[in-house]
């Protein structure tokens, strides 16, 4: 176990906070054909999709500028095809010519305790994934959802009886992770690590934009989490929907990132079950009690401040942002445009996808 846990906001904030709460004391996968018309009886049918492989260019870079100062933005995405080799020539050259690389907004949860205090937390973490009061997953979710769960569990997870005691949100995360691996996808793709390595290679400063929460009494925080109810049934149901019906679309979205198809990225929704799972955590009583409810907004505000500082200070900056923050009309790129910066997509259009004026 590690003393802190952080992750970009493109990933489910629910996972950030849940795993972070448990971290107070502390990819290669073969592509398997997804379910098709010839699947075994009882398996859920999904859209047939094939992940791209080989050398791929990625999505290109967005340009944010004011006067002679420019920031090149790489939109990141999860999941991505597992068998691609990202062609990083343009990214490496841009990083090498930049004065700073700006990481995506992230969150860290850190216990305000010493090393020995962390060691004593170990016993309190046992069973933290389990439902309060010994309830089973079957007791926690609606009967129709549980019936769907049993089918999907058999297809993607197998005969794991222990997971039947987990909270719905933990079971949902496990199912989703297993499903994307089955479709030849990977949650990270190594993009952020590659960018960090390129910055190091060219001696360019890498600025981590991280909102860190210090938790004064981590043992009590874990105890509160373990004993508190959480309305995560919608998160569970939406995740079942995603795995049942949307894996084809998620694969298409991953392929669009890999091949640099900006039009396709604009057409495909980015949220999946994310918003429902975020709400399950941030609206829970323990989250409000521990001060977790507005951490996403605080991290985004930190990133905006760091981006504007970089744009005003550096001749050139390289930055990473979740693709949702790049494409959404309410995302961070749109907020920079509203603040007076010029925005140009890799295909020459503006932030909204409109062609430039003649």
């Amino acid at each position: 176990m590690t003393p802190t846990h952080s992750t970009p906001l493109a990933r489910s904030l629910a996972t950030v906070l849940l795993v972070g709460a448990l971290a107070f004391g502390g990819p290669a996968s073969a592509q398997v054909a997804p379910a098709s018309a010839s699947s075994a009886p009882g398996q859920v049918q999904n859209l047939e999709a094939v992940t791209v492989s080989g050398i791929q260019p990625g999505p290109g870079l967005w340009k944010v500028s004011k006067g002679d100062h420019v920031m090149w933005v790489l939109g990141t995405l999860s999941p991505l095809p597992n068998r691609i080799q990202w062609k990083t020539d343009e990214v490496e050259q841009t990083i090498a010519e930049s004065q700073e690389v700006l990481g995506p907004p992230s969150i860290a949860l850190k216990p305000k305790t010493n090393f020995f205090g962390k060691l004593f937390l170990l016993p309190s973490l046992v069973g933290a994934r389990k439902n309060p009061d010994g309830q089973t997953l079957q007791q926690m979710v609606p009967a129709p959802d549980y019936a769907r769960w049993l089918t999907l569990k058999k297809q993607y997870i197998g005969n794991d009886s222990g997971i039947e005691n987990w909270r719905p949100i933990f079971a949902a995360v496990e199912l989703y992770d297993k499903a994307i691996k089955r479709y030849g996808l990977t949650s990270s793709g190594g993009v952020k690590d590659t960018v960090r390595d390129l910055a190091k290679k060219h001696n360019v400063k890498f600025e981590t934009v991280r909102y860190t929460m210090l938790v004064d009494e981590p043992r009590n925080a874990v105890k509160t989490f373990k004993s508190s109810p959480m309305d995560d049934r919608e998160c569970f149901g939406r995740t079942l929907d995603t795995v049942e019906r949307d894996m084809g679309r998620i694969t298409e979205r991953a392929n669009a990132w890999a091949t640099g198809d900006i039009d396709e990225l604009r057409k495909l929704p980015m949220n999946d079950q994310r918003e429902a799972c975020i709400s399950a955590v941030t609206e829970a009583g323990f989250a409000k009690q521990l001060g977790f409810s507005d951490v996403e907004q605080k991290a985004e505000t930190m990133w905006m401040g760091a981006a504007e500082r970089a744009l005003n200070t550096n001749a050139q900056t390289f930055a990473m942002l979740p693709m949702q923050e790049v494409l959404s009309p309410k995302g961070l790129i749109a907020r920079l445009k509203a603040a007076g910066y010029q925005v140009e997509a890799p295909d020459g259009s503006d932030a909204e996808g409109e062609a430039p004026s003649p």
Side-chain angles (χ1 to χ4, degrees):
M1 288 180 287
T2 57
T4 63
H5 179 86
S6 64
T7 186
L9 297 184
R11 298 183 64 186
S12 169
L13 181 60
T15 305
V16 174
L17 296 181
L18 289 171
V19 177
L22 304 184
F24 289 147
S29 62
Q31 180 175 354
V32 182
S36 64
S38 60
S39 297
Q43 288 190 331
V44 172
Q45 306 301 306
N46 210 315
L47 294 176
E48 184 175 354
V50 178
T51 54
V52 298
S53 60
I55 298 175
Q56 300 294 339
L61 301 175
W62 273 255
K63 182 181 180 181
V64 180
S65 61
K66 179 177 280 189
D68 295 332
H69 296 252
V70 62
M71 180 171 70
W72 296 98
V73 180
L74 173 67
T76 61
L77 187 68
S78 177
L80 290 176
N82 188 41
R83 292 184 174 182
I84 63 167
Q85 180 181 342
W86 181 32
K87 191 174 186 295
T88 60
D89 296 9
E90 179 189 10
V91 167
E92 179 168 6
Q93 181 178 351
T94 305
I95 289 175
E97 295 172 353
S98 298
Q99 290 78 59
E100 183 178 4
V101 172
L102 197 63
S106 60
I107 300 166
L109 305 177
K110 185 176 180 180
K112 193 175 181 181
T113 185
N114 58 28
F115 173 75
F116 292 104
K118 296 185 184 76
L119 287 181
F120 283 118
L121 279 173
L122 293 177
S124 68
L125 294 172
V126 175
R129 287 183 175 180
K130 293 183 178 181
N131 285 305
D133 304 322
Q135 291 181 300
T136 65
L137 192 59
Q138 184 175 11
Q139 293 171 309
M140 294 292 292
V141 301
D145 282 351
Y146 186 71
R148 291 197 294 155
W149 157 259
L150 288 178
T151 302
L152 292 168
K153 176 190 171 186
K154 180 179 179 182
Q155 184 174 349
Y156 292 106
I157 299 176
N159 297 321
D160 182 349
S161 59
I163 200 171
E164 293 295 326
N165 297 315
W166 289 11
R167 290 178 186 255
I169 194 169
F170 281 117
V173 168
E174 181 72 7
L175 176 65
Y176 179 78
D177 285 347
K178 290 291 194 295
I180 64 171
K181 289 179 182 178
R182 182 75 63 86
Y183 274 76
L185 302 170
T186 176
S187 59
S188 69
V191 173
K192 289 176 281 295
D193 289 340
T194 297
V195 169
R196 189 183 292 272
D197 290 343
L198 289 173
K200 183 177 181 181
K201 174 182 177 181
H202 293 283
N203 296 313
V204 179
K205 176 186 176 184
F206 188 100
E207 180 69 20
T208 300
V209 184
R210 178 179 299 156
Y211 177 73
T212 301
M213 289 187 60
L214 288 177
V215 181
D216 291 327
E217 299 181 1
R219 184 188 294 273
N220 288 340
V222 173
K223 184 177 179 181
T224 298
F225 170 75
K226 289 173 65 174
S227 62
S228 298
M230 182 192 307
D231 188 3
D232 49 1
R233 290 171 296 180
E234 183 179 358
C235 167
F236 184 77
R238 289 286 299 277
T239 303
L240 297 181
D241 294 342
T242 296
V243 175
E244 277 184 338
R245 301 194 293 263
D246 293 341
M247 294 307 300
R249 175 175 56 79
I250 289 172
T251 302
E252 291 173 0
R253 190 176 66 196
N255 289 343
W257 186 97
T259 58
D261 191 340
I262 305 302
D263 286 339
E264 189 70 9
L265 283 171
R266 287 193 175 104
K267 294 175 186 175
L268 295 169
M270 294 284 170
N271 284 339
D272 304 327
Q273 71 279 16
R274 178 177 182 270
E275 295 303 324
C277 294
I278 288 175
S279 296
V281 176
T282 57
E283 296 303 315
F286 78 87
K288 295 179 179 179
Q289 180 180 338
L290 297 173
F292 291 168
S293 55
D294 60 350
V295 291
E296 184 173 25
Q297 291 77 14
K298 289 179 178 177
E300 290 174 350
T301 299
M302 282 186 66
W303 192 90
M304 281 292 293
E308 294 203 67
R309 174 198 52 76
L311 277 161
N312 290 327
T313 303
N314 304 323
Q316 179 166 300
T317 305
F318 184 93
M320 289 183 287
L321 272 180
M323 190 61 75
Q324 184 176 0
E325 297 293 346
V326 174
L327 297 178
S328 170
K330 296 181 180 180
L332 292 170
I333 290 295
R335 287 165 62 178
L336 285 172
K337 182 180 179 182
Y341 296 92
Q342 299 296 314
V343 174
E344 183 179 326
D347 59 3
S349 62
D350 64 12
E352 286 75 38
E354 300 293 333
S357 302

